[in-house]
Amino acid sequence: MTRSLLLGLIGEGISASRTPRMHEDEGAAHDLTTIYRTIDIGEESLASVPLNELLASAVRLGFDGLNITHPFKQQVIELLDEVDLVARRIGSVNTVVIDEAGRTTGHNTDATGFARGFEAGLGGAARNRVVQIGAGGAGRAVAFALSELGVGELTIADISAERAQDLAAEIGDHVRAISTSDLEPAITSADGVVNATPVGMAAFPGTPFDTSLLDTQTWVADVVYFPLETQLLAEAKAKGCRTLDGSGMAVNQAIDAFELFSGRRADP
Ligand code: NAD
């Protein structure tokens, strides 16, 4: 049985990430010596190292697994030996398990993480009509999760119309793409709205839509988790809407990744 874990996170601008701490604490709770390293391509020494070399080095050094974040979640797919069906459908990988022979398998725990965060924080919320803004890496996982959660009609808007259209077409007939300029009627008739854009982070201040459109019965979820209370959630709360911040997705994606790495289930 595994007694130690060597894990890492590959991405850009991840020095403040809480992921290493979450995994190391979880490892300790399971009596596993867990070392979790950040491999930040924003650092000068790594800036010119291509992803395939970073991955090969991790395999050579005996890493048991990696989390993958922006900007590599899509790019990593073609470098892996295997990619599970969910990650393949979503088109993005955030967790790579490396077996003893050095074979790499990609998974996506953002979708399951969002779904479980949603059930925990907004369980029972109406979901006949849901609007999702943002069809990037997180948005792709969220859209698949919302479909699994039984959303009747999902409307996706993105400033890249093409990205929204491609995602809607991939998921199914219950999903449509609209232009961000057509959000008003969609939001006023929605049961819930999900922000899957970076708007609300310090670098992207503001809200992704005009919150005066929100009815008090409309729930609002945000994937942004830094800060946890985005301007969108603060304004929605002030109106009396039920809200869900990005922490449930962040914690649950880590729990699922830890289980893939270690075979042990973490407590939520
Ligand atoms: P991304 O760049 O891949 O995608 C963002 C998408 O939003 C793009 O398609 C972009 O065109 C669109 N967009 C940006 N501004 C918009 C606007 N005003 N209106 C409509 N569309 C807009 O980024 P990402 O990796 O999907 O990350 C998005 C956010 O999700 C980030 O804040 C990230 O930190 C967060 N995230 C959270 C979790 C979690 O566990 N809670 C997991 C992954 C990502």
Side-chain angles (χ1 to χ4, degrees):
M1 191 180 276
T2 318
R3 289 266 168 253
S4 64
L5 284 174
L6 177 57
L7 306 172
L9 172 67
I10 301 184
E12 184 176 18
I14 52 176
S15 55
S17 171
R18 293 172 188 154
T19 304
R21 181 70 190 272
M22 281 199 274
H23 284 270
E24 287 180 348
D25 286 353
E26 208 45 54
H30 289 273
D31 236 356
L32 294 169
T33 304
T34 305
I35 297 169
Y36 195 111
R37 294 278 178 254
T38 51
I39 303 164
D40 191 337
I41 56 139
E43 282 171 21
E44 212 178 311
S45 59
L46 292 176
S48 59
V49 183
L51 181 60
N52 60 340
E53 282 183 27
L54 292 176
L55 195 62
S57 300
V59 171
R60 239 185 352 260
L61 289 166
F63 274 68
D64 299 294
L66 295 166
N67 286 122
I68 307 292
T69 191
H70 186 77
F72 291 137
K73 286 184 183 180
Q74 282 91 28
Q75 199 183 324
V76 76
I77 288 182
E78 62 179 23
L79 303 173
L80 301 173
D81 295 314
E82 269 180 63
V83 176
D84 79 11
L85 197 64
V86 174
R88 200 170 283 289
R89 279 198 75 200
I90 295 171
S92 106
V93 159
N94 75 331
T95 301
V96 175
V97 174
I98 304 169
D99 71 13
E100 280 175 8
R103 280 184 64 77
T104 52
T105 304
H107 305 268
N108 187 307
T109 66
D110 285 334
T112 49
F114 178 82
R116 281 216 316 286
F118 185 94
E119 293 290 22
L122 283 174
R127 57 195 79 170
N128 292 330
R129 290 204 197 102
V130 174
V131 174
Q132 175 185 322
I133 307 166
R140 292 187 62 83
V142 167
F144 278 90
L146 288 170
S147 298
E148 291 293 310
L149 286 164
V151 166
E153 190 185 294
L154 178 61
T155 300
I156 301 177
D158 193 295
I159 44 175
S160 160
E162 193 186 352
R163 222 170 281 162
Q165 280 156 9
D166 288 350
L167 180 56
E170 279 173 51
I171 300 185
D173 293 343
H174 65 294
V175 189
R176 67 183 177 128
I178 60 166
S179 152
T180 48
S181 57
D182 293 332
L183 274 170
E184 181 173 342
I187 286 173
T188 52
S189 62
D191 296 312
V193 185
V194 184
N195 175 40
T197 77
V199 176
M201 298 178 80
F204 305 96
T207 59
F209 63 90
D210 176 0
T211 55
S212 69
L213 299 173
L214 287 170
D215 183 87
T216 53
Q217 298 304 309
T218 314
W219 54 262
V220 179
D222 207 325
V223 301
V224 171
Y225 59 99
F226 204 73
L228 269 186
E229 182 165 278
T230 56
Q231 187 179 332
L232 170 63
L233 294 188
E235 290 180 11
K237 258 186 214 166
K239 290 197 88 159
C241 301
R242 285 180 78 188
T243 60
L244 178 73
D245 66 39
S247 63
M249 179 179 182
V251 169
N252 282 294
Q253 65 77 22
I255 288 174
D256 287 354
F258 185 82
E259 188 175 16
L260 288 164
F261 295 143
S262 68
R264 320 266 177 106
R265 186 82 194 148
D267 292 327

